[in-house]
Structures are given as C-alpha cells and as structure tokens.
Amino acid sequence: MPGDGFGQAFRVTTFGESHGPALGAIVEGCPPGLPLAEADLQIDLDRRRPGTGRHVSQRREADRVRIVSGVYEGRTTGTAIGLLVANEDPRSSDYRALAEVFRPGHADYTTFMKYGRRDPRGGGRASARETVMRVAAGAIARRLLETLAGVRIAGWLAELGPWRHEGPPPERTPENAFFVPDEAACPLLDAHLEEVRRARDSVGARVGVCARGVPAGWGDPVFDKLDALVAHALMSIGAVKAVEIGDGAAVVRQRGSEHRDPLTPAGFASNHAGGILGGISSGQDIVAHLAFKPTSSIPQEIATLDVRGAATTVAVCGRHDPCVGVRGVPVAEAMLALVLADAFLRQRAQCAGIAPPLGPFAPP
Amino acid sequence: MPGDGFGQAFRVTTFGESHGPALGAIVEGCPPGLPLAEADLQIDLDRRRPGTGRHVSQRREADRVRIVSGVYEGRTTGTAIGLLVANEDPRSSDYRALAEVFRPGHADYTTFMKYGRRDPRGGGRASARETVMRVAAGAIARRLLETLAGVRIAGWLAELGPWRHEGPPPERTPENAFFVPDEAACPLLDAHLEEVRRARDSVGARVGVCARGVPAGWGDPVFDKLDALVAHALMSIGAVKAVEIGDGAAVVRQRGSEHRDPLTPAGFASNHAGGILGGISSGQDIVAHLAFKPTSSIPQEIATLDVRGAATTVAVCGRHDPCVGVRGVPVAEAMLALVLADAFLRQRAQCAGIAPPLGPFAPP
Amino acid sequence: MPGDGFGQAFRVTTFGESHGPALGAIVEGCPPGLPLAEADLQIDLDRRRPGTGRHVSQRREADRVRIVSGVYEGRTTGTAIGLLVANEDPRSSDYRALAEVFRPGHADYTTFMKYGRRDPRGGGRASARETVMRVAAGAIARRLLETLAGVRIAGWLAELGPWRHEGPPPERTPENAFFVPDEAACPLLDAHLEEVRRARDSVGARVGVCARGVPAGWGDPVFDKLDALVAHALMSIGAVKAVEIGDGAAVVRQRGSEHRDPLTPAGFASNHAGGILGGISSGQDIVAHLAFKPTSSIPQEIATLDVRGAATTVAVCGRHDPCVGVRGVPVAEAMLALVLADAFLRQRAQCAGIAPPLGPFAPP
Amino acid sequence: MPGDGFGQAFRVTTFGESHGPALGAIVEGCPPGLPLAEADLQIDLDRRRPGTGRHVSQRREADRVRIVSGVYEGRTTGTAIGLLVANEDPRSSDYRALAEVFRPGHADYTTFMKYGRRDPRGGGRASARETVMRVAAGAIARRLLETLAGVRIAGWLAELGPWRHEGPPPERTPENAFFVPDEAACPLLDAHLEEVRRARDSVGARVGVCARGVPAGWGDPVFDKLDALVAHALMSIGAVKAVEIGDGAAVVRQRGSEHRDPLTPAGFASNHAGGILGGISSGQDIVAHLAFKPTSSIPQEIATLDVRGAATTVAVCGRHDPCVGVRGVPVAEAMLALVLADAFLRQRAQCAGIAPPLGPFAPP
C-alpha cells in the first residue's frame, strides 16, 4: 500500500533521500538468464547525471551503480536484484537556511503536513535525486525488453521555449545535450536557457517517449489499461503535470472520421491512437508526451510561510537546472520501460500459450 | 495482477460485459457505519445513464443497482459490498454483423490479438457500459468522502466543439444535459452535436473534475503520487487520451516565476499546481482535466480487416453518442472519488495519529 | 489491502453474507480459451453443499451457480469471470435470538469489536456459507490446472474421532459422504457422529489435500514460498487451526538423516518434504494437512456476554454440523487449487521461456 | 507479484544472497515520528547471529546494520527506510565442491529447475542468511507495536529432542542460548545437541511465539484472516513445516464443549483459540507454534544427482547448526511482528474512527 514500489510482475521498490548516504532499489521478477552488468545500467545513469551539461544542476555525483544481488556470473539469477548508488556530494549546508521555510512549488509544505516532520536536506525523499533509481531499474527493464521482446525505447525533448519538434518520433534517443532530434536546434536552446538563467527564472518543457516493437496484445481492458499505467508511471515523475497518449489533448478538437486509424493488410494507415486501443497495445509505436513544469528553485524572492506558519519570503539559490525537463528524458524512458516490462510479463502470465490469431502485418 | 480492480485500502473490482446478463462490483475496505442506500448510488447512475439525452446512446437501460451485501439496516458493515445491475436491453443482434470485422478505433482488434478470441457483442468487456460499475462504486467513495472527510467532488464539460468553459471550476456538477457551468451554452452545444450527427461524425471533448475540502497530506512522495493515481484513474476511462493536473500541458510554456504558487497566512495565493505538490495534496482544490477522443462508432465507411486478416470496410450504425465525453463527466467524478477515498484511508493507515503541525489557513 | 481477495496472477474476490440475497465472486486472470460451463463448477459445489448428508447442516440450498461474465460460447474470454449463487433458505428468524449475545468460539465478539457493529444473521460475512464462492472459484482453478498443466487435486478426511487414515494420499477424492479413502470406515464414522450429536457436542477433524502433476519450479524462494501460500490459503478457511506440509509437525522429532529425501535418477526416494523444497515445488506430490476445530455451535449452554457487556449464557440450537471438517474437504481442495493456479501463472510470467534443465525423472 | 516483499500497509522487501556483498531491505509505511536507531535493530540481529552459541553455524558475521534512509534526527520520517548489512565472512570456497550437485533437503534442485540456473554459493537467495533482513525489519515493526499499540512479542523454544516446554507462554523471550523458558533445561539441551552432532546428524524443533496487548479487532474475516497471515508469515521461514494457532493440531481430538472459550465480564475464561476468532484478534494473547525440520546439512553421505542428472552422493560438511530451530526463535518473533504491524495499520485505514463498543475487560 505504501508507494515506494511500481509494477506487479516486474516490480521496482526504491529508497533514499537526496542527502542520505545512499540510494537503492530492489528489482523483483526479472526473468533469469538475462545478461546484465553494471555497465548496462551506467549508460542510462550517465545520461541522467547532474553536472554533465551547462544547464543542469551542478552537483557533482559519479552515480556509480553497484549490483549487489540477483546477478551471478554475468546473468540474472531470477532472484531479487539489489542496486546501490552512493551519494557523494550532498553539501547539506546549502540547505540549512531552507530548513525553516517552505519553498513554494516544492513538496516542503505538503511533506510537513503529511508526516508532521520532514528531512529538509535537499528535499529529502522528494528530491529529483530519487529518479536515479528509476533510471537504474529502468535500464534493467530496457535490457529485458530488448533481449526477450525486441522492444526499443526512445525519448526526446519535444518542446522548450521557442522551439518545438515537428515530425515523427526519432528512431533512437538523440545523443546531444538537449536530447533534441534536430541537433541544429542546440545553439538556439542553449541561448534560450542562458537567457532564462540570466532572468533568474526557469522554464517548462515537453518530452516525448516512444516504444517500438511492442506486439499487439499487451495491456488490460479495464482499470489497468496500458495507457493508464503509462499515465501513472509518467505522472509519478516529479514536476510532470500532463500526460498525453497518441494525439493526446488535441483529440478534443478532432472528429471521429479523422481520429480513428484505418486497418489495412499492410498495417494501420495512421497512428492517432498512439499504439494503444482499449487499453491494449495494437502493434504500432506506443507514443506518449509529458509536460514538465518549470522548476520552482529560482533565485527570485517569493512570499511563503515558515514552519511555524508566519509569513516570510524565500529565494532558492544553489545548484539548480533552469529546465528540469531536459534531464527528464532518460527518466521518462525508464518509466516507460518499467511499464512495458511489467505488461510483457503480465501478458505471459495470462496468455503464454495463446498464439496471436493474425500474423504481423505485411510490410506495405 | 489482473486489472479488474482499482485502489488499495478502498478497492473496487468489477465484472461484466455489454451484452451479458449483468454487471457487478465488489467494494472492499469501506469503513463501517456509513449510511448507505441504493438510492445514494442511483443518483449518480442516473446521471451516467444512456437514453437520457438527445445526443447520447439510445440504448434503454434502467440501470437499477442492487446492494447485495455489506450493508445492514442502512449502514455499511465494513465487509465487502456487492453491487449488481442487470442488463435489460442488449439487442445483441445489432452486433452480429460486426462479429467478423474489427471496428477501427475500438478494442476489437487488440482484444482479439491479446486473448486469441473475443466476445463481439457490443464490445464485450471493452464496452462503455463497463463504466456503470465505476459510477456505482464511485458513489460509495463519494459518500465516504463527504461524510468522513468533508470532501466534495464536481465535474463539468470544459470544451466541446466551438465552446470552451472559461473561469474557475463550478461549485457543484452543473445540472443540465451537457454538464456545462453556463447553462446558456446548452443550445449552442445542442446545435453543434446535431450538426456533427448530420455529418455522420463524432467529436471529442474536454472534461474537468475538482475535489474541494481535501486536507493537506493525502498522497505519497514517489511512485504513488496523488497526481499519478489520478492520472491512472482518469486515463483508465475508455476514450481518454490525456490527463492534466492544475495548469496541465500549459506548464510547458510557463516560467517558474509564474507557475509556483505563493504561500501566505491566508492560504496559497494561486493554484497553478492543481492542489498537489510533490505528489501530496496541499489543501487547495484538486483540479484535473481529461481529453475524450471522438467515438469511432460513426456511420461513415472506413477501411479495416476482417477476423481472417482480409481487407474490407465497415460503417458502425446503431445507437451511439456523437460525443462520449458528455457522459464521461460522472465517470470522471467517480474515478476521482475512488482515488481520494483510497488516499484518505491510506493516509489514516500510516499517519492516523499525526496532528497536522499547522492549522488550516486563516480566511483572507 | 482489504482481504476479500486471494491470489495475484489468478485472483478471486468474493462478497456475500449468510443471509443476504446472494453470494458472488470475481475471478480475474484466467487464461482465455478454457472450456468452462456452469456444470463444471456445480460438481464441486454439490460436494460442499449443506443438506446432503445426515451429519451436515440441514439448511436447504440448491447452490446453483451462474456464470454471468467472462465466458462466451463455452470458453473463457480472458476477462473477469463473474459468479453468482442465490441464498434461498436463510431462515433469519433462527438468529433473531442470537443478535444480542456473542456466541463463544464464533466471530460475533471480534466482528463487533472490529467494526463497532455487525450483521448478526447467521454470522453474516463470517458464516461458513462464505466458502461457497471459494469452491466455485476453486473449480475454475482446478479446470485450468487440469487442462493446461496436468495437475490433479484430491482431498480426503484424514482423522475423525477414533478413526485415522493410514497409508498414502488417495488417487482421487473418495466419493462417499465422509470423503474417507476406506469406504468401510463410513459406518464407524456415522456411529461416532451420532454419538457426538446425542451428547449435544461437536468434534474436530483432520483433512488432507494432495496435488499431483505439479512440475518442479512453481513457487518463490522468500516470503511467497509455495508452502507459505498454501498455509495462508488453508488457514484462511474458517475453523482451521493448524496447517502442515509433508511430515508437518512430526519433523520436530525427526533427525536430518531421516527427513531429507534422497534424489535418484528415478526420482526422489521418499517425500517427507511434501513436494516443496525451499518454497519451490519439487515435482513430487504436494501434500498438506489441516486441523479443523470442533464447531462451537452446539446446544450446550455456555457463559458469555451480551452486546452491552453483561454476563449471560447461550446455547446454539438450529441446523449445524457436528463436524465441520467433513464439508471442509472440498473447500480445502479449492484453496489448494487457487494457490496452484496462481503459482502456475506467476511462474509463466517470470520464466515462460526457461526450459527446465533436467527432464522429468525416469520411472523407476 | 514476485515474492520478495511481505505486508501491505507496513511492507518489507528484501534482497541479498548468502555470498553476495550485502543484504538489504526496504521498509515502507512506517508511521513518522517513531524513535529509531540502529541499536534498536542490532539487539534483535545479535540474538539471531551465527557464531554466538556452541551449536550454531560458526560463520563469523558482525551483522552490523546500517539505516541508510527514512530516519532523520533519530526519528522515522514516514518515507522508505533502507537497511543494509554487509556480508563479511562468506568463505565461498567451502561451496565450490557443492556447485555441481544438489544437496537433498535443500532448495538446490528446485531453484535450478525453476530458473534454469542458480547461484550455488551458500544456497544463494535460499540461504538462512536471508533471515537477517526479516529480523532487522521485524525489529522496526516491534518498535512500532510497542510504542504505538502497547504490543509485546515473545518467542521461545518449545520442544527439542527429549525436552518440551509445559506451561504458559513466557512473559518475554528467555535470555539464554536456547531461548528456553526454564533455564535449568539448558545443560540437557546442550548435551542432546552434542550427542546429535557426534552422530553427524541434526534434529528438529518446535518454537512458540506470543503477542500480548493486541486489542480486539485486528485482522480480516475472509482470505486475510489474521491467523492466515500469521501462517503465511511463519511458514515462509525456511525449514518450517507446520504452523499451529492456539491449540493447533490438537483441536482434531477436541470436542466443541471443550474448545470454545467462554466470555465473562473479566475476560475470556480460557484461550484455546490462541487469541483469534473468525480471523480477527480477540484481545487475548495471540499464540502460535512452528515446527522446524532438522537441517539437511549434515556430514552423512546421501544419494543425490549432479546438475547433469547423473547419480552421485553428497555429504555436507562445513559450518552448520545441528538444530536450526534455535536460531529460528528471533526470526519467528520478527515475522509475527511484521504481521501485526501490518494488521494494526490496516485496521487504522478502515476503522480509524470507530470506538470499540465495549471497553477492555475488567480484571478478574
């Protein structure tokens, strides 16, 4: 019932605060025999890492992951996989000044009201640092999906400031500092974030994720629709305020004649649905978008309360991203991987012996 | 692991297909002693019912709900509540012609590929009729929230065709056929849907839901953030393609200085967050929006496949809403109620003895 | 979190009280395509039914089960299976006298203290009638196990009064009124129960259950050991006070040299373990025993309290079994079937693609 | 769905193998504000530790536990508690010889058949070392129960070889090497185990656990009866083959007039039920017994198979307890604490506002 875990057949449970000694995760349900090394996880962790770009938080963390159980002689054993990452550069003193006030837009006030107390160092459990373990566990899910199901996941930055990605999802995650499909946009984005930072402000972003190779049939028809699980997973990332599947919010202004995707012997003729119909994957690309809010950690003063309820003001200095959405790309990929790994194993549980009555579509 | 249930401390599990003899639900975890009568559920069921408006499906169903367990002498006993609604007007013959083809935009193809077979009558389990039990169970959740926590939930139509609701969430669900806050808009919407129907087409819609009176502290900081559970719940409603919390997708184009809500002794000065910070309720109104796609059941022909994979076409005649979003309003309210009833009980489990360190805000 | 459901991949949730209009269940996760008819369930329900023997409760119930969803044209569709059984002969007036007192040995007092109220008619939710739905759902699990995995389950009466079954588990559930492997024991048991009844008393019983054909590999190594799930399932049957696996409580007085079962190319040389090692099935017969307490519903007076806490006495007349353990046999079989169906699907989720490295044992 | 976790409202998930670098656990749902230090956990860990008695495994492990999250300034924060214990003395070489054969009575064969592979070092995940994390998490549950609910848990050795505890459960866990209520029995037990060891054999044991101070009302009436969860928890401890509640297996030979416990204004007149009626605690002491099998790790040769299925023999030398049941006492206490902490929080979720209609019994 507590919410530190995600998934049912493939399940990750995490612990760890921003300024504690370590972050950790337990990954349960991973099929045995999967080749898995720490380096497989490190790739994704390095992409998420703070301190790797000009515009991301300047906290220095190596984020070296250790696999402490569940892998023997380079392959998963099928038993619980334990993961650990040490916190090396917490600088808790940065936060001493903030222990007595609630930073607006953060979880400070709500955490305090929920539990009657809180660990104020770096946001405690509510820190973006919590996503380290999502990415580490997601990397295992990704491996599983690639190896056993031929599923590949890509994320990208879809909108930031004046720039917006037009065109289809990229084949793989773009390898540039902004994860933008068109590398030529990088200088523009760089200049924009510099301007935002100079304005002592922050900015939101839109991120896209896509899974290719998911066969028709994953997901469930009622409460655990595949899109509902994707929404749960993506909305659980800090700072996300909207999740859209396929055409998303634009469907409000569509007609049925426009939205429904025709079926042909060569496959679907379009993908307005985003690869999910009635909660079950259709065999098309699964496409989702997330909206990241602008971080509230900016050096402008704002009215707030202190922990005794008295009016005061606060300005959040320190090491902060002007756009948390950029680093959100690998986190969104990880969450999509966790949902799909779980859906894959759940489908095996119920339908392992069922041959799909129709073969894959003929190429057009 | 299967997905016919929702919630953890307050949990509903449902069964039933469009053309079977009955729909049913089991509601577990309801606190004992709650006054509850079938009439309490019927109010919400009647609002969801087909055949009550000009523009909704013309299937005639009384949707009379029976409480068959868990209530004794007018109050809940604390044990499982069993709910039943008979299907009275299935007209399965309407669907005989559709048994051999996949209706694009529906779950026909994906259900067939998942299970290797399907009940083709009225969409089977994937029918919108499945939402009857969401509404019935949601009505219990609503009662619980009103009685034990002072929480009230309202839904409304926020956008349809040329019309869009501007202004704050209404105090309660508007009592008109379109659930629009401004009743004067009804003729406009009526005319628009008539035009859509004449064009043998359908149209999407945007729906809003709001919960008032939720105290600060409900929800969880990591995977089961309150907004993540809201997203799960709302995205699990058939035809929903996007879920937004607070300012939603608009945050992409906001600055941090604009988005973060200041705290004052009289309360938050704004509510861009939609009442949830770091996954935990802030004591403000919880506000979410959902995007309903236009139904794919329209009488225009479209390319598709038959169950043997051969190309064909289909046009879906019969009794169908030109805008399923309208009837989605009570369903969205029900799902929000289910999430909050669960969050309320989960908060009691962990923090029953914790006094909130700050009182409710002073009125301004 | 509430406890009206059991199982994870194959899950049953039930509702219903002794004197309500109906009992019901929802079975989720059943693989699609399984041939299933109401008659398949009725066989097991008829064996559990009160009023079929001289020494069982004389309540007259046909216990006709209806499958109201999840089956189409004689096969499971893969969606939730809804089950209903009407209560036809409640005779609530029998219980009016008992509404004000707590029957010792029953759940009256604990239910009242837990919920602050209770439905006193026939024990409400705590009635043995609740097991109807265990048996109905268990019959589906049994079908699944037989059809997809070749697993067969048998139960038997192992001890009652002066009689005790010696020798191995019977091949199938004995078809006599006492479920005893040696039919010749029936007159002895009959006479014993008649004597118990004349003494206005009741008596305990020991029941055995065995599953044959379970392959090596089902179960889990830590908290969800297969034997732990069997213990959970069997101890959840009303009136059960002990669960034993394999040699059970006798292991206390065994030596390691005696208990451990040697492995040979023809199979295990003995089965002290009861078919489970380290929480995982070994391929041997899975054998468990349960101890049923003597029912507390006897016409002898006993000291008790009334609902206001005052001392009084009570004698429970009415229609009651002198030995509830006899009717417990089909219930125990059903619970074992539920555990194994779940374990089977869970094993497919994680290890669907893993070929067992060693073939089945050569016959000796 | 995987089984590395236990509990719902209060939940522990563990990882770690006998010979990996560390064992760990995540404890979720712990109420905030509970005073908690590593020393609180260490007390119970030290009682479970190998190498502290003459007759327990001679592996040298300090079992120093670290709390790496969820505690701030000496109190729980309400967020996930991370626990770590390093493995310091694995001596994997001891096990090299055993990598190719299955030790009868161990999980070697079943693990291999389940996953198609295994970590052979010290039994991997199936090692008794896995119980370290049960004890660490159980110590938190225990603290919670003592502090918030006044519940105290005691375990004891109830039977070993020629010796058997007669009389009521001890008030607290006996502080001697055998956890026997009567310290005078220690020399006898010592001599018995010495004799068993000289016979190169091992012996079973019976362990008792008791919880005092549990109020009436914890537990659930159907599948999650409190006794069913106790059975699940205790049977999930390695080597346990039977679980009994109250009079346990002896109820088979009891009469109803003898078993049912009379209620009086001063309390129950006896406790045959073991403190649970209808799955719900009665306010009496909760009493359970477990049967531990004799360990299969003895130096006598036994027929077995190698990993290719060929006949061979094995004798298990190395550091092993002649009676694992002794060290099972703190593990059984921990599991009972985990069940009760969960039941306590679950009761708060559903019934937080319900005043028990009758006060505690007047003292006799």
Side-chain angles (χ1 to χ4, degrees), chain A residues 1-6 8-9 12 14 102 104-107 109-116 125 130 134 159 164 192 195-196 199 201-206 216-225 227-229 231-232 235-238 240-246 248-249 251-257 259-265 268 272-274 276-278 280-282 291-296 298 300-309 311 335 346-347 349-351 354-359 361, chain B residues 1-6 8-9 12 14 102 104-107 109-116 125 130 134 159 164 192 195-196 199 201-206 216-225 227-229 231-232 235-238 240-245 248-249 251-257 259-265 268 272-274 276-278 280-282 291-296 298 300-309 311 335 346-347 349-351 354-359 361:
Chain A
M1 203 181 61
D4 299 279
F6 187 81
Q8 299 198 38
V12 57
T14 73
F102 303 124
H106 280 283
Y109 171 73
T110 56
T111 301
F112 191 61
M113 291 298 281
K114 178 180 186 64
Y115 298 117
R125 185 71 170 136
E130 165 261 315
R134 298 180 183 237
E159 184 177 346
R164 186 178 181 128
H192 181 71
E195 176 212 307
V196 167
D201 216 332
S202 62
V203 66
R206 192 167 188 247
W218 293 7
D220 219 67
V222 188
F223 294 110
D224 280 0
K225 287 188 167 76
D227 30 356
L229 297 182
H232 184 150
M235 194 70 94
S236 80
I237 303 171
V240 171
K241 301 301 287 183
V243 175
E244 306 179 71
I245 308 292
V251 299
V252 171
R253 286 167 301 279
Q254 290 177 347
R255 292 286 169 103
S257 55
H259 180 84
R260 56 185 189 165
D261 302 304
L263 273 147
T264 80
F268 286 90
H272 295 286
I276 302 172
L277 284 168
I280 301 168
S281 62
S282 67
F292 280 88
K293 73 177 185 182
T295 181
S296 302
I298 55 175
Q300 296 186 40
E301 280 214 333
I302 183 172
T304 192
L305 300 179
D306 66 20
V307 293
R308 280 160 301 276
M335 292 311 299
R346 286 169 76 163
Q347 174 67 358
Q350 190 180 16
C351 301
I354 307 297
L358 295 176
F361 292 112
Chain B
M1 204 181 63
D4 298 280
F6 186 81
Q8 299 198 38
V12 56
T14 73
F102 303 123
H106 279 284
Y109 171 74
T110 55
T111 301
F112 191 62
M113 292 298 281
K114 178 179 186 64
Y115 298 117
R125 184 71 169 136
E130 165 260 315
R134 298 180 184 237
E159 184 176 346
R164 186 176 181 129
H192 181 70
E195 175 212 307
V196 167
D201 216 333
S202 62
V203 65
R206 192 167 189 250
W218 293 7
D220 219 67
V222 188
F223 294 110
D224 280 0
K225 286 188 167 78
D227 31 354
L229 297 182
H232 185 150
M235 194 70 94
S236 80
I237 303 171
V240 171
K241 302 300 288 182
V243 175
E244 306 179 72
I245 308 293
V251 300
V252 170
R253 285 169 300 279
Q254 290 177 346
R255 293 286 168 104
S257 54
H259 180 84
R260 57 184 188 166
D261 302 304
L263 274 147
T264 80
F268 287 90
H272 295 286
I276 302 172
L277 284 169
I280 300 168
S281 62
S282 66
F292 281 88
K293 73 176 185 182
T295 181
S296 302
I298 55 174
Q300 295 185 42
E301 280 213 334
I302 183 171
T304 190
L305 300 179
D306 67 20
V307 293
R308 279 161 301 277
M335 293 310 299
R346 287 168 76 164
Q347 175 66 359
Q350 191 180 15
C351 301
I354 305 298
L358 294 177
F361 291 111

Side-chain angles (χ1 to χ4, degrees), chain C residues 2-139:
Chain C
D4 299 280
F6 187 82
Q8 300 199 34
F10 186 91
R11 182 167 179 82
V12 57
T13 310
T14 73
F15 71 81
E17 289 106 32
S18 179
H19 288 57
L23 304 161
I26 303 176
V27 175
E28 300 171 81
C30 187
L34 189 74
L36 192 72
E38 288 168 356
D40 296 320
L41 283 63
Q42 202 63 51
I43 295 166
D44 284 354
L45 283 170
D46 287 348
R47 293 195 300 134
R48 191 218 76 98
R49 200 145 55 88
T52 49
R54 271 179 69 194
H55 298 296
V56 294
S57 161
Q58 293 307 305
R59 179 166 168 175
R60 301 283 163 199
E61 292 285 356
D63 285 353
R64 282 281 144 224
V65 67
R66 287 178 66 205
I67 299 177
V68 286
S69 73
V71 173
Y72 179 64
E73 297 186 338
R75 285 179 184 267
T76 56
T77 59
T79 57
I81 301 173
L83 304 175
L84 289 177
V85 166
N87 281 331
E88 298 173 346
D89 182 30
R91 297 199 209 164
S92 299
S93 56
D94 285 9
Y95 287 92
R96 209 151 295 163
L98 298 176
E100 297 286 301
V101 298
F102 303 124
R103 294 168 300 164
H106 280 283
D108 299 355
Y109 171 74
T110 55
T111 302
F112 191 61
M113 291 298 282
K114 177 179 186 66
Y115 299 118
R117 63 185 55 245
R118 69 189 178 100
D119 174 351
R121 300 165 303 162
R125 184 69 169 138
S127 164
R129 206 152 164 69
E130 165 262 315
T131 59
V132 166
M133 280 300 143
R134 297 181 184 236
V135 171

Side-chain angles (χ1 to χ4, degrees), chain C residues 191-233:
Chain C
H192 182 70
L193 286 190
E194 195 51 43
E195 174 212 308
V196 167
R197 186 193 296 278
R198 269 198 307 265
R200 297 183 307 142
D201 215 331
S202 61
V203 65
R206 192 166 188 248
V207 164
V209 278
C210 174
R212 289 188 173 78
V214 175
W218 294 7
D220 219 68
V222 188
F223 295 109
D224 280 0
K225 286 188 168 76
L226 189 58
D227 30 356
L229 297 181
V230 169
H232 184 152

Side-chain angles (χ1 to χ4, degrees), chain D residues 175-199:
Chain D
E175 293 182 357
N176 56 60
F178 290 102
F179 305 112
V180 284
D182 177 11
E183 193 150 356
C186 287
L188 175 71
L189 292 167
D190 202 61
H192 182 70
L193 286 190
E194 195 51 41
E195 175 211 308
V196 167
R197 185 193 298 278
R198 268 199 308 267

Side-chain angles (χ1 to χ4, degrees), chain D residues 240-255:
Chain D
V240 172
K241 303 301 286 183
V243 176
E244 305 178 71
I245 308 292
D247 285 356
V251 299
V252 169
R253 284 168 301 279
Q254 291 177 345
R255 292 285 168 104

Side-chain angles (χ1 to χ4, degrees), chain A residues 28-40:
Chain A
E28 298 171 83
C30 187
L34 190 74
L36 191 73
E38 289 169 355
D40 297 319

Side-chain angles (χ1 to χ4, degrees), chain C residues 147-199:
Chain C
T147 308
L148 299 182
V151 170
R152 287 152 297 117
I153 289 171
W156 63 96
L157 190 68
E159 183 177 348
L160 196 170
W163 175 87
R164 188 180 180 125
H165 173 62
E166 315 281 353
E171 277 298 316
R172 58 181 60 81
T173 310
E175 293 182 355
N176 54 59
F178 291 101
F179 305 112
V180 284
D182 177 11
E183 193 151 356
C186 287
L188 175 71
L189 292 167
D190 202 60
H192 182 70
L193 286 190
E194 195 51 43
E195 174 212 308
V196 167
R197 186 193 296 278
R198 269 198 307 265

